[in-house]
Amino acid sequence: EAGVVQSPRYKIIEKKQPVAFWCNPISGHNTLYWYLQNLGQGPELLIRYENEEAVDDSQLPKDRFSAERLKGVDSTLKIQPAELGDSAVYLCASSQSTNTGELFFGEGSRLTVL
Amino acid sequence: AQSVAQPEDQVNVAEGNPLTVKCTYSVSGNPYLFWYVQYPNRGLQFLLKYITGDNLVKGSYGFEAEFNKSQTSFHLKKPSALVSDSALYFCAVRPTNAGKSTFGDGTTLTVKP
């Protein structure tokens, strides 16, 4: 069974440029998460989807970040415009839609903003 | 608000010795507790979880963890460490009535031959 797939693995951009990350969760997992991981810190939730509905986006900086999961399967996270402080690893995870389910993570997308 | 504390940034042990990675949490109500491991340039991998029942839970690669409600702790343990256990370990907590997991800042485990 394929795991959570993310792309690109690495991205280097100039500040003020846009960037997008894509995630395909494990088949059958209704819940999808985007996490931000800064160096030396644990993942911090940006947004959580139940199917196509964003049920928790309270930590998403909506002035520059957006996300979508139009058909309730794969998802895209966009930053426009990127700032130096956005350099981090963006992790996607999925789980079955129960509270007891563990998260399955992708390998992450490492963003460097110059 | 829920939170997780991993008081040790780094834990060093010799191969073959027992290891403990500490975790304490704060959450309203009963918690679901998780441990994840992260190898360099990889995503997090699930190790084990406590949902209910026996306070000692067993997981992947010989790891186990003990839930202690009175001390609000969920320490990760292994009787005999391997060099290949060297990695970054994260503890996470989720309230039983919400879907959001909160992670600690991680503990780097180094097992020396």
Side-chain angles (χ1 to χ4, degrees), chain B residues 46-90:
Chain B
F46 169 74
L47 273 180
L48 52 77
K49 64 183 177 183
Y50 171 82
I51 302 299
T52 187
D54 193 348
N55 289 341
L56 184 65
V57 294
K58 296 185 183 297
S60 307
Y61 312 119
F63 283 94
E64 58 190 28
E66 186 167 12
F67 171 61
N68 187 316
K69 188 173 183 178
S70 63
Q71 296 184 7
T72 61
S73 67
F74 189 57
H75 300 331
L76 181 71
K77 300 181 180 182
K78 187 173 182 180
S80 179
L82 300 173
V83 173
S84 57
D85 293 330
S86 298
L88 183 56
Y89 290 81
F90 290 98

Side-chain angles (χ1 to χ4, degrees), chain A residues 2 7 16 22 36 41 44 58 71 91 102-103 108 110:
Chain A
S7 68
K16 301 185 180 179
W22 177 80
L36 166 69
Q41 297 182 17
E44 299 172 21
S58 57
K71 297 182 179 179
L91 294 169
E102 61 270 24
L103 305 184
R110 182 179 296 276

Side-chain angles (χ1 to χ4, degrees), chain A residues 7-18:
Chain A
S7 68
R9 286 294 313 279
Y10 303 92
K11 188 74 176 178
I12 301 174
I13 61 172
E14 299 281 336
K15 63 181 180 182
K16 301 185 180 179
Q17 294 300 306

Side-chain angles (χ1 to χ4, degrees), chain A residues 16-17 20 24 33-34 66 80:
Chain A
K16 301 185 180 179
Q17 294 300 306
N24 194 35
Y33 311 75
W34 283 102
S66 64
Q80 183 171 10

Side-chain angles (χ1 to χ4, degrees), chain A residues 9-10 33 35 37 40-43 45 48 56 59 91 98-103 105-107 110, chain B residues 32 34 36 38 41-44 46 49 51 88 90 94-101 103-105:
Chain A
R9 286 294 313 279
Y10 303 92
Y33 311 75
Y35 279 88
Q37 186 177 22
Q41 297 182 17
L45 182 68
R48 175 169 65 97
D56 184 354
Q59 301 302 310
L91 294 169
T98 63
N99 284 337
T100 61
E102 61 270 24
L103 305 184
F105 284 85
E107 295 195 328
R110 182 179 296 276
Chain B
Y32 298 141
F34 304 82
Y36 294 85
Q38 187 175 33
N41 298 314
R42 304 294 297 275
L44 282 70
F46 169 74
K49 64 183 177 183
I51 302 299
L88 183 56
F90 290 98
R94 183 192 301 170
T96 56
N97 61 349
K100 177 181 177 180
S101 293
F103 289 79
D105 283 338

